[in-house]
Every structure is written in C-alpha cells, then in structure tokens.
Amino acid sequence: MVTQGLISTREDILERAIPLFARLGFHGVSMRDIAAEVEMQAAALYHHFADKEALYLAAMAYAFKDKSVVLTQAIAIPGTPLERLNRFVETLAEGMGRDPDFLALLQRERIDGNETRLKLLAEEVFAEPFDALLTLAKEIAPAHDSHMVAISICALVMYHMETAPMRRFLPGWHTTLDQPKFIAKHAMALLAQLFADGDQK
Amino acid sequence: MVTQGLISTREDILERAIPLFARLGFHGVSMRDIAAEVEMQAAALYHHFADKEALYLAAMAYAFKDKSVVLTQAIAIPGTPLERLNRFVETLAEGMGRDPDFLALLQRERIDGNETRLKLLAEEVFAEPFDALLTLAKEIAPAHDSHMVAISICALVMYHMETAPMRRFLPGWHTTLDQPKFIAKHAMALLAQLFADGDQK
DNA sequence: GTCTATATCTTGATAGAC
DNA sequence: GTCTATCAAGATATAGAC
C-alpha cells in the first residue's frame, strides 16, 4: 500500500484536472484543456480514462479522498465536549481555507451531482465525521434535533467560507472576516454561548 | 410602469431559460436547448439578445429582480428585535423553498461569477436587506461583529436549504428536516437562545 | 420577428503509426 | 504510452428570405 515517491501519469492527470474542474466545472473544461495542463495530447488521456466522465469521477474521488480523516480525528481527541467542538470547528475552517479547490468542488457536486454521486459523497466522505459530530451534538444540545444541530455547526463555518467572494461587496466587510481562524473563532463564540449552560430550551 | 397582462417574447425567453440555467449551468445549456423550450429556432434568440452571455446575464437579472424586497419588508415590520428576526428567518426560508431555481442560480453565481457579477449581485440584490439585518444584528448582539452575526443568521437557514439534496444521505436525516418551516423554527430556536438574554459574551 | 440554411469553431472520441 | 490525423456531432453565431 506504500506508493513510490514518483507519481503515476494517471495521478498527474487527476491532480492537474482538479483545479480546472474546481474553477470551471465539468462542462467548462475540455479534454484538450486538461491535456494542455499535463502537457500531452488529448488523445493520450483516453489511454488512462474511458471518457471525460470517467476522468471527472476519478478526479472527484481523488480530490475527496482522505479529506474526512482529519475531521474525524479532530473530534476524537479527548476533552470536554466544547473543547472537542472547538477542535472540529478549527480543523474544518483551516482545512477549507487551505484547499479552495476542495471547497469549490464540494459546492459544484452539491448542485450538479445526481442521486448516485451525492449518495457516494455523503456516505464515503462525510458519514464518518458527521456521525462523530452527531454524537457530540447529542451531548452538547440534547434538547434539539441532532442532525439539525450538526449541520448548523457546519453551516456557521462553511457558509462564511463559501460566501467569502461575494461578502467582500456587502456592508460591514473587512479583510479579517475571511480568515479561517477568525471564522472559527466567531463560530465558537456563538456555539459556546449557545451550549455552554447545558442547553435549556 | 404598469405592464400589460401579456408577456413579451423577451420575457418569455428569460422565464424559460432560467430553470435550464439553474439546473444545468451556463455551459450545460445550449442556445438550441433554450430555443426548444420557447418553441422557436435558435437563430430567433439572437434577435432578442446579442449573444449567449447577454441572454444569461439578462436571465440572472430577471431571476434576481425584486427578490430582496420581501426580505427588507419582513425586517421592517415593527416589533421586538427577536420578532423581526423571526420574520426575516421565516421569510428567507419560505422564499428559498418556494423558488429552488433562485437558490440554485445563487449558488452557481457564487462559484462562477466574476468580480463584476458578484459585486452586482451583492449591491443590487442583497445590500438592502443585509443592511437592515446588520442594524438588527447590532441591536441583538452588540458584543459580536455585526457582519459575522448577519451572515451567521443567513447561514443557519441557507446552508440547510443548500445542502438538503445531500443531507438525505447523511445519518439522522428524516423528511421533516428539509421543510422550510422546520428549518426556520430550528434556526430561531438556536438564535433565540443565543440572543434572548442581551448577548453577554 | 421568425424562419431555413449555413459558416465556423470546438468538442469528445477513435484509428493507427511509432 | 504518446503521438498525428481525423471523424462526427454539437456549439455559437450570421445571412438573407419571408
């Protein structure tokens, strides 16, 4: 299972295709575009992938691979529920800030993905950390629906990250507001206030 | 300024193009697709719009037109801050639930829109209700950054709406969780708990 | 204002040499 | 495993009749 330091052509293609798909979407990128990025001819791509869709799906799988591990680990580290929540929120914000391609692909898949792809994304990528978050939500806010609380936690981080490019033009904006650390801090300030005193409804 | 009951061909084109662009995106829809939907030949579209991009931009402007008025009004109705917040949250959730095309286009523009388009969207569509929300945020949570609080309020509604298709496949999901009324109720439950007692940090 | 016809370009994909 | 050459389909856009 140990890969050589050298990267295969297949992986090279995927890694260079990912930023293109993230920025322009499936229909916005041609096989020639990808080939140019890898510095080969478009025909050669078909030696590695059956067609454009197969390449795209492989790129998604590659981009989403192992993304959830850090989140699951962040929650798993022992501590008070609020400490564990804080670690999750910080990890989520930092991770998204560090990988804008992932953030973009995630949003694209949410809109363009069919049932099969959404199911795969949910079950293969998010089910594990979300399960841990659900358990934490039950501890921290037993009076509310756990699924809703878990999503709300994600929302307080993700929506700031996702809307950052547009928020620049909304009133009250300043540069600090788009920094992952600040977003995590703000989310935790709200969440701590929400759940600190045992969640009286 | 009073339009006749009859709709112009131009508006007919826009109204039929909007669902297509919402579902498939700019590159996923051809001029032929749109023409077929309006039951005319693709060439005729060029009598009404200079090119595909002009048609798309006009469709966006049409889809986003007057969308913000209800939100601004919802906040403007007199009442306690929490009542006004509740009205905003309910209006936002209901509005998005009633217009899935708008919700989809909004997400697409966030990813695909260039600086100019994002600026236009922010300033022409969202600035007014967001300004009102900012003022409300200052009243309701003076200890926190107003912009962040305002976005967080939107996040607690919007992120549930936007992720609905994928959340179906996440643990703890059940049909109720995607209903606008329930989402609004949950968001308000959290927000009321957050801000009820004067926002002690 | 809509049509048919068509020019021009780009796309995904294949064939076959090396 | 990559190349050149090429096909067939689909795209945007235009010209000109009605």
Side-chain angles (χ1 to χ4, degrees), chain B residues 28 47 56-57 94 99 157 164 166:
Chain B
H47 177 78
Y56 178 79
L57 293 177
E94 288 294 331
D99 195 346
V157 173
M166 203 188 79

Side-chain angles (χ1 to χ4, degrees), chain A residues 24-28 108 111-112, chain B residues 17-34 46 51-60 104-105 108-109 112-113 117:
Chain A
L24 303 164
F26 179 82
H27 294 292
R108 289 198 183 278
I111 317 179
D112 293 328
Chain B
I18 284 169
L20 290 181
F21 284 132
R23 265 177 265 145
L24 303 164
F26 180 81
H27 294 292
V29 178
S30 72
M31 294 298 269
R32 281 177 179 80
D33 293 336
I34 298 169
Y46 290 88
D51 53 24
K52 188 186 175 183
E53 198 187 345
L55 198 166
Y56 178 79
L57 293 177
M60 291 306 103
L105 288 177
R108 290 197 183 278
E109 277 296 284
D112 292 330
R117 262 154 62 189

Side-chain angles (χ1 to χ4, degrees), chain A residues 7-14 16-17 20 30-49 55:
Chain A
I7 208 169
S8 68
T9 308
R10 189 190 144 91
E11 282 176 319
D12 191 32
I13 294 168
L14 294 179
R16 291 181 191 268
L20 290 180
S30 72
M31 293 299 270
R32 282 173 178 80
D33 293 336
I34 298 169
E37 204 72 20
V38 197
E39 290 175 302
M40 54 164 42
Q41 290 304 309
L45 295 174
Y46 290 87
H47 177 79
H48 301 275
F49 304 94
L55 198 165

Side-chain angles (χ1 to χ4, degrees), chain B residues 17-162:
Chain B
I18 284 169
L20 290 181
F21 284 132
R23 265 177 265 145
L24 303 164
F26 180 81
H27 294 292
V29 178
S30 72
M31 294 298 269
R32 281 177 179 80
D33 293 336
I34 298 169
E37 205 71 21
V38 197
E39 290 175 304
M40 52 165 42
Q41 290 304 309
L45 295 174
Y46 290 88
H47 177 78
H48 302 274
F49 304 95
D51 53 24
K52 188 186 175 183
E53 198 187 345
L55 198 166
Y56 178 79
L57 293 177
M60 291 306 103
Y62 193 87
F64 293 151
K65 201 185 171 198
D66 301 331
K67 276 293 168 185
S68 72
V69 185
V70 268
L71 289 174
T72 313
Q73 283 176 343
I75 285 196
I77 298 173
T80 69
L82 228 56
E83 282 169 354
R84 294 167 62 214
L85 180 61
N86 186 47
R87 226 126 44 197
F88 175 83
V89 163
E90 278 179 353
T91 308
L92 183 62
E94 288 294 331
M96 291 298 163
R98 207 177 304 112
D99 195 346
D101 287 340
F102 176 73
L103 187 60
L105 288 177
L106 191 56
Q107 295 177 76
R108 290 197 183 278
E109 277 296 284
R110 265 185 4 217
I111 318 180
D112 292 330
N114 55 29
E115 289 261 305
T116 317
R117 262 154 62 189
L118 287 174
K119 193 165 189 283
L120 208 76
L121 191 60
E123 292 175 354
E124 301 292 309
V125 181
F126 294 119
E128 206 181 336
F130 193 79
D131 235 355
L133 191 59
L134 267 186
T135 312
L136 188 56
K138 274 173 205 149
E139 280 184 63
I140 233 169
H144 297 90
D145 181 281
S146 309
H147 178 101
M148 294 298 276
V149 171
I151 294 289
S152 296
I153 291 166
C154 299
L156 288 175
V157 173
M158 296 295 288
Y159 199 69
H160 284 92
M161 307 292 297
E162 293 182 8

Side-chain angles (χ1 to χ4, degrees), chain A:
Chain A
M1 199 62 84
V2 177
T3 49
Q4 313 116 314
L6 297 172
I7 208 169
S8 68
T9 308
R10 189 190 144 91
E11 282 176 319
D12 191 32
I13 294 168
L14 294 179
E15 287 192 358
R16 291 181 191 268
I18 283 169
L20 290 180
F21 283 132
R23 264 177 267 144
L24 303 164
F26 179 82
H27 294 292
V29 178
S30 72
M31 293 299 270
R32 282 173 178 80
D33 293 336
I34 298 169
E37 204 72 20
V38 197
E39 290 175 302
M40 54 164 42
Q41 290 304 309
L45 295 174
Y46 290 87
H47 177 79
H48 301 275
F49 304 94
D51 53 23
K52 188 187 177 185
E53 198 188 344
L55 198 165
Y56 178 79
L57 293 177
M60 291 307 103
Y62 193 87
F64 292 152
K65 202 186 170 196
D66 302 330
K67 276 292 169 187
S68 72
V69 185
V70 268
L71 289 175
T72 313
Q73 284 176 343
I75 284 195
I77 298 173
T80 68
L82 229 58
E83 282 169 354
R84 294 168 62 214
L85 180 61
N86 186 48
R87 226 126 43 196
F88 175 83
V89 163
E90 279 180 352
T91 308
L92 183 62
E94 288 294 332
M96 290 298 163
R98 209 178 302 114
D99 194 348
D101 287 341
F102 177 73
L103 187 61
L105 288 177
L106 191 55
Q107 295 177 78
R108 289 198 183 278
E109 277 296 282
R110 265 185 3 218
I111 317 179
D112 293 328
N114 54 28
E115 289 261 305
T116 316
R117 261 154 62 189
L118 288 174
K119 193 164 189 283
L120 209 75
L121 190 60
E123 292 175 354
E124 301 291 309
V125 181
F126 294 119
E128 207 181 335
F130 193 78
D131 235 354
L133 192 59
L134 268 187
T135 312
L136 188 56
K138 275 172 206 151
E139 281 183 63
I140 234 169
H144 297 89
D145 181 280
S146 308
H147 179 101
M148 293 299 278
V149 171
I151 293 290
S152 296
I153 291 165
C154 299
L156 288 176
V157 173
M158 296 295 289
Y159 200 70
H160 284 90
M161 306 293 296
E162 293 182 7
T163 57
M166 203 189 78
R167 286 191 294 111
R168 282 183 51 90
F169 306 108
L170 283 178
W173 180 85
H174 49 103
T175 44
T176 324
L177 304 185
D178 290 346
Q179 293 167 13
K181 277 185 209 248
F182 184 84
I183 290 172
K185 209 179 140 198
H186 169 84
M188 274 312 293
L190 297 191
L191 290 168
Q193 193 166 325
L194 250 175
F195 302 128
D197 40 1
D199 184 52
Q200 77 289 15
K201 175 148 192 200

